[in-house]
Amino acid sequence: MPKRKGDKGTKLTLKLAKKAIRTTPDGRRRLTLSNMRITIFPKCLLKLTNVDELDLSRNLIEKLPDNIGNFSSLRLLDLHSNKLESVPESIGNLVGLTHLNLSNNRLISAGLPSTLGSLISLKSLNLGMNQLDTLPPTMDALHSLQELGLFDNRFINLPEFLKVLRNLTKVNVKENPLSYVQRDGEGMQKEKSKAEEDVYLVHESSLCRTCLQTCQEQRQRLTRGGGGGGGSDVFEEKRIRTYHGLMVPNSVATVNQHVWRIRNVEHKPIK
């Protein structure tokens, strides 16, 4: 594995990169260059046409090359915990990509290209811990998507296209200023928001029978408008309850999505 060179960053050559490639138990060729203080994306990596998985997480990369789409062999790309503010349009050429992690960067909505919607094989997309408030509507074409991380961003409303992603089973939207509707006894509606909205969406199949029944009963009460009170009860309808096959079980999900969060993780330096 290439050595770290202090605060000046790591100088990576094609020769060193080839030596760092390892074969995973399932036969994929993986290149791990995490936590090496790399400041510039090594363009020599684009010559490695047979790499299936690339991990450049926990570095100092501010920009991806415009021709990142030439890395057509990639199935997994991990770029979390860098300093990226945008993603080049050519990323849409990585049509074989199944896992993409862009969490804990500096991404803004204007920095996400519409070509993200071309990643039709994508199963897992992590955009958490950025500065996003909207997503490209073209992402409604990501019908293979199963897991989506949007936590620690600036979303007031969830993307409408989530309704059409039939294979989506987990959505993490924790710590976004999500809006909800409050209706008073006179039928008035007011928009409010929670700065610390603690919400997960999971598919019904991820819940035990008791929790599923509880969520279904709560949803029925909301649909009826609060359960037949005298008109003075406050009725709160969180918009996220309307997404196909997804519920809001809070902590009852069988999968703990805190594994997506890496903010407080300590990493040992590579020797």
Side-chain angles (χ1 to χ4, degrees):
M1 187 66 66
K3 296 181 179 180
R4 295 175 59 178
K5 295 187 178 180
D7 294 336
K8 294 182 179 180
T10 298
K11 176 67 174 180
L12 186 70
T13 65
L14 182 60
K15 182 178 180 179
L16 290 174
K18 288 181 177 180
K19 288 183 177 181
I21 296 175
R22 300 291 182 268
T23 301
T24 64
D26 58 356
R28 292 192 175 188
R29 294 171 62 84
R30 180 179 179 88
L31 177 57
T32 300
L33 301 171
S34 178
N35 197 23
M36 293 178 58
R37 303 194 63 81
I38 297 173
T39 58
I40 300 176
F41 186 97
K43 293 185 178 180
C44 64
L45 299 183
L46 297 174
K47 299 180 180 180
L48 300 175
T49 58
N50 59 347
V51 171
D52 302 303
E53 301 180 356
L54 176 60
D55 182 358
L56 280 166
S57 63
R58 305 183 185 100
N59 282 297
L60 304 169
I61 301 173
E62 298 182 3
K63 183 179 180 181
L64 298 178
D66 292 336
N67 58 344
I68 186 69
N70 293 347
F71 220 143
S72 58
S73 63
L74 282 183
R75 299 296 177 267
L76 180 149
L77 179 58
D78 191 348
L79 292 163
H80 82 260
S81 304
N82 278 281
K83 297 183 177 182
L84 298 174
E85 296 183 1
S86 63
V87 178
E89 291 187 2
S90 67
I91 199 169
N93 295 335
L94 304 179
V95 294
L97 205 63
T98 59
H99 293 77
L100 177 59
N101 191 346
L102 293 169
S103 66
N104 197 22
N105 277 281
R106 300 174 179 177
L107 295 172
I108 60 174
S109 295
L112 295 182
S114 61
T115 52
L116 281 178
S118 300
L119 302 178
I120 56 177
S121 300
L122 206 60
K123 295 181 180 180
S124 175
L125 174 60
N126 194 344
L127 295 171
M129 298 175 69
N130 282 291
Q131 303 172 35
L132 305 172
D133 53 15
T134 61
L135 295 179
T138 54
M139 290 176 62
D140 62 358
L142 302 182
H143 297 299
S144 296
L145 195 63
Q146 299 174 6
E147 299 183 358
L148 177 61
L150 300 177
F151 54 88
D152 286 322
N153 275 289
R154 300 177 179 178
F155 289 95
I156 296 176
N157 300 303
L158 291 182
E160 287 296 317
F161 65 76
L162 293 185
K163 295 179 179 179
V164 302
L165 300 182
R166 300 295 181 177
N167 289 314
L168 195 61
T169 58
K170 296 182 181 70
V171 183
N172 188 342
V173 292
K174 183 183 172 89
E175 297 189 32
N176 278 279
L178 294 175
S179 295
Y180 66 98
V181 178
Q182 184 184 72
R183 299 180 183 177
D184 58 25
E186 299 179 356
M188 299 296 290
Q189 297 187 11
K190 299 178 181 179
E191 290 288 339
K192 293 191 174 183
S193 65
K194 291 185 177 181
E196 294 295 329
E197 187 68 72
D198 193 3
V199 176
Y200 299 117
L201 303 185
V202 299
H203 198 270
E204 297 174 1
S205 61
S206 296
L207 303 178
C208 67
R209 181 178 300 179
T210 301
C211 295
L212 176 60
Q213 182 177 355
T214 301
C215 289
Q216 289 175 337
E217 290 174 353
Q218 290 176 349
R219 183 162 61 183
Q220 289 173 0
R221 285 197 297 270
L222 289 173
T223 302
R224 291 195 299 266
S232 60
D233 293 338
V234 174
F235 169 59
E236 296 182 359
E237 177 185 338
K238 292 181 179 180
R239 295 176 179 173
I240 51 179
R241 296 182 182 273
T242 64
Y243 291 88
H244 174 80
L246 297 174
M247 287 189 161
V248 189
N250 292 328
S251 60
V252 300
T254 59
V255 177
N256 183 355
Q257 294 196 31
H258 281 295
V259 298
W260 288 36
R261 305 174 64 82
I262 46 79
R263 175 179 293 167
N264 297 320
V265 176
E266 295 182 358
H267 307 287
K268 296 180 180 181
I270 298 175
K271 296 181 180 180

